[in-house]
Amino acid sequence: MAGKLYLAPTPIGNLGDISRRAVETLEAADFIAAEDTRVTVKLLNHLELKKPMVAYHRHNCDTAGPAILRRLEDGESCALVTDAGTPAISDPGEDLVALCTAAGIEVEAIPGPCALIVALSASGLPTGRFTFEGFLPLNKKNRRAQLDGLKAEERTMIFYEAPHKLRTTLEDLADTFGSERPIAVCRELTKLHEEILRLTIGEAAERYADQEPRGEFVLVVAGCPPQIVEGDEDAALARAEQLRQEGLPLKRAAAQAAEEYKVKKRWIYNQITEKESE
Ligand code: SAM
């Protein structure tokens, strides 16, 4: 019988954040596939665990992936870990999961630390709908294309960024979304020097103009305010439903959407109660 691939999230800074289930998974697996075995061995030492490890990273995934797959097909179980956070989120674990699922190997994901979720939840920006953009492309043309595609994006947007590219990225975000757009700059999450700045993109750029960015960053950017066409009943209804999802009681959601779109509050209210009673 084939083995299983387990995705075991590891702390993004605070060692206390590893879950009991993640530890049990590391303990039970036949071997661990790690992004950097030197980083993972430190975690294993902290957990007082000894386990055979293989390296699986961006530079060897083309050969290491099929080798891991063969071992899984032969019945071994593998726990995949990255340097920090949830495997397969902005790292080559994504390819191993694709390889295994395509080959019919069972994949089990253990929930755990993930920088984008920590940042989003603490950002103070709307969390009901969001888009994760990962790292922006380095290539100027591709970067511009990705940012241009986000100009009208109404959902909250989340970006990963390396410290040495932070300034350029803040400039590019200001060019794309305007310097007044709210942003949460989340630095060193869960670590001793955790810092979450909730300001505008312009203010963030100014702050880092004369302060060297250090540490790891997640940028959470507010979406574009919805383009309101007065009297648009469908849009008003959708807006009221969105406000409901965000936790507003029906009456207040209907009133707010009616005010924004200049349509009848009673109409929105009736539409939603009718839908909800179906
Ligand atoms: N798989 C990881 C996860 O679940 O978040 C992400 C891996 S990605 C290669 C690394 C990026 O995640 C960093 O460049 C940074 O943008 C973000 N990141 C990871 N840990 C972080 C932390 N403690 N604080 C802020 N950002 C962090």
Side-chain angles (χ1 to χ4, degrees):
M1 200 177 131
K4 233 192 217 187
L5 176 69
Y6 293 90
L7 309 180
T10 54
I12 58 168
N14 187 326
L15 286 177
D17 291 337
I18 192 155
S19 74
R20 188 183 298 179
R21 194 166 158 225
V23 176
E24 285 166 4
T25 302
L26 294 174
E27 248 166 356
D30 290 314
F31 70 102
I32 293 173
E35 188 175 8
D36 184 337
T37 52
R38 291 164 304 181
V39 171
T40 302
V41 84
K42 287 186 195 150
L43 177 71
L44 295 184
N45 288 342
H46 167 77
L47 299 171
E48 296 181 357
L49 276 181
K50 270 201 164 45
K51 220 16 95 171
M53 273 198 277
V54 296
Y56 177 82
H57 49 70
R58 197 155 21 109
H59 305 292
N60 77 346
C61 55
D62 289 349
T63 49
I68 293 169
L69 176 62
R70 277 192 295 279
R71 290 181 68 171
L72 288 161
E73 285 172 335
D74 286 345
E76 287 188 86
S77 64
C78 171
L80 175 68
V81 299
T82 57
D83 289 351
T86 299
I89 303 299
S90 276
D91 67 50
E94 176 185 2
D95 297 336
L96 185 61
V97 173
L99 192 70
C100 289
T101 51
I105 295 291
E106 218 181 310
V107 176
E108 190 170 317
I110 316 297
C114 183
L116 78 102
I117 297 299
V118 179
L120 174 67
S121 57
S123 67
L125 295 170
T127 61
R129 297 175 70 221
F130 63 88
T131 162
F132 174 54
E133 297 295 316
F135 292 96
L136 283 167
L138 293 180
N139 172 288
K140 268 196 174 166
K141 200 169 146 221
N142 297 344
R143 189 178 174 88
R144 194 66 266 158
Q146 185 163 338
L147 285 170
D148 284 347
L150 292 170
K151 272 192 172 153
E153 179 56 68
E154 292 181 7
R155 294 170 295 179
T156 299
M157 294 165 277
I158 307 168
F159 302 88
Y160 280 169
E161 197 45 283
H164 62 284
K165 296 199 211 106
L166 185 80
R167 286 174 172 155
T168 314
T169 295
L170 287 173
E171 277 167 29
D172 289 347
L173 293 179
D175 284 349
T176 311
F177 306 120
S179 53
E180 292 308 311
R181 184 73 71 86
I183 186 172
V185 180
C186 307
R187 190 173 78 86
E188 295 287 85
L189 293 167
T190 79
K191 300 184 191 175
L192 188 62
H193 298 294
E194 171 173 308
E195 177 182 58
I196 302 177
L197 303 174
R198 300 172 184 88
L199 25 65
T200 65
I201 297 178
E203 288 165 341
E206 241 172 64
R207 183 166 181 128
Y208 281 106
D210 46 25
Q211 181 188 319
E212 186 69 25
R214 285 185 207 288
E216 297 194 276
F217 288 87
V218 182
L219 305 175
V220 187
V221 181
C224 175
Q227 304 302 305
I228 291 181
V229 178
E230 285 189 11
D232 184 341
E233 290 183 329
D234 289 342
L237 186 57
R239 171 73 174 140
E241 283 169 341
Q242 179 201 348
L243 291 167
R244 289 275 284 150
Q245 274 177 17
E246 287 171 12
L248 236 58
L250 174 56
K251 265 195 179 164
R252 280 183 51 203
Q256 185 173 324
E259 169 62 27
E260 286 174 8
Y261 285 86
K262 309 285 179 249
V263 301
K264 287 211 166 67
K265 181 171 73 183
R266 172 60 51 191
W267 180 84
I268 300 177
Y269 184 91
N270 288 344
Q271 292 290 316
I272 295 183
T273 37
E274 256 173 49
K275 254 195 195 175
E276 287 183 357
S277 63
E278 272 170 11

